[in-house]
Amino acid sequence: MATTKTAKGKAAAGKASKDAKAKAAKKAALQGVDSHSSRKPRFSVTFRRPKTLRLRRNPKYPRKSIPHAPRMDEFRTIVSPLNTESAMKKIEEHNTLVFIVDIRSNKRQIKDAVKKLYDVQAAKVNTLIRPDGKKKAYVRLAADHDALDVANKVTCCFIASGARRLPDTV
């Protein structure tokens, strides 16, 4: 008889555990499994967004089909040489060429343009904006270059070392 009692007890215990399991499943289904989770305590009043994955751009096609041509090349930088009386004086006495340049060009671009166009080394460049809105550049040449020789190549008028005006054609 002892064996039957133990077998009955095991069967009753198995049935009770199945009942408890079923009740727990019913309770979880009615309440939901997340109903008893506690909130994480916050110790600051400001919310800091967590750092998440930031992927680099991976475009499907380039937004520009071809790169643009240089916007400020040497031919656009220097508009024209200036051959006024004061400009001639600068050429003869101070070894300085005078140009009208593009309003958007800077001193470095002017220096490079003079080097490319006339094959001379510029010592320094001074610029000013005239009252008519054009930019004027004074390009001081290095000591090994003569501004008079360069000006003869650049301008179409006669610039002799002594004469400042065109010869008479009578």
Side-chain angles (χ1 to χ4, degrees), residues 92-150:
E92 292 168 359
E93 294 178 8
H94 300 291
N95 202 29
T96 302
L97 295 172
V98 185
F99 295 101
I100 298 295
V101 295
D102 192 283
I103 193 78
R104 291 180 298 272
S105 59
N106 56 32
K107 291 182 181 185
R108 194 171 292 117
Q109 290 169 335
I110 294 166
K111 196 173 186 178
D112 292 340
V114 168
K115 186 176 181 179
K116 283 182 185 175
L117 289 176
Y118 308 118
D119 297 320
V120 291
Q121 192 69 37
K124 70 185 238 175
V125 176
N126 288 337
T127 58
L128 63 88
I129 296 178
R130 303 189 323 181
D132 63 353
K134 295 178 180 176
K135 186 183 267 193
K136 190 196 294 188
Y138 296 98
V139 181
R140 175 91 182 257
L141 299 184
D144 55 336
H145 298 289
D146 186 31
L148 202 57
D149 296 337
V150 178

Side-chain angles (χ1 to χ4, degrees), residues 15-134:
K15 188 176 182 192
S17 70
K18 283 184 182 178
D19 268 353
K21 217 180 214 183
K23 283 181 182 175
K26 177 184 175 186
K27 188 177 177 185
L30 288 173
Q31 288 183 343
V33 291
D34 295 326
S35 64
H36 57 275
S37 64
S38 62
R39 283 196 166 184
K40 177 184 168 187
R42 295 194 179 273
F43 300 107
S44 173
V45 292
T46 56
F47 175 74
R48 299 284 183 186
R49 188 179 58 81
K51 301 282 188 284
T52 55
L53 179 66
R54 291 184 182 176
L55 297 173
R56 291 182 64 88
R57 289 183 175 191
N58 188 14
K60 302 288 184 244
Y61 64 93
R63 294 301 187 259
K64 285 185 175 181
S65 58
I66 56 168
H68 64 80
R71 290 194 174 102
M72 192 64 71
D73 60 345
E74 62 267 17
F75 301 107
R76 184 156 176 196
T77 301
I78 294 180
V79 176
S80 65
L82 205 63
N83 55 2
T84 59
E85 190 76 22
S86 62
M88 296 302 151
K89 189 173 181 183
K90 287 270 189 193
I91 289 170
E92 292 168 359
E93 294 178 8
H94 300 291
N95 202 29
T96 302
L97 295 172
V98 185
F99 295 101
I100 298 295
V101 295
D102 192 283
I103 193 78
R104 291 180 298 272
S105 59
N106 56 32
K107 291 182 181 185
R108 194 171 292 117
Q109 290 169 335
I110 294 166
K111 196 173 186 178
D112 292 340
V114 168
K115 186 176 181 179
K116 283 182 185 175
L117 289 176
Y118 308 118
D119 297 320
V120 291
Q121 192 69 37
K124 70 185 238 175
V125 176
N126 288 337
T127 58
L128 63 88
I129 296 178
R130 303 189 323 181
D132 63 353
K134 295 178 180 176

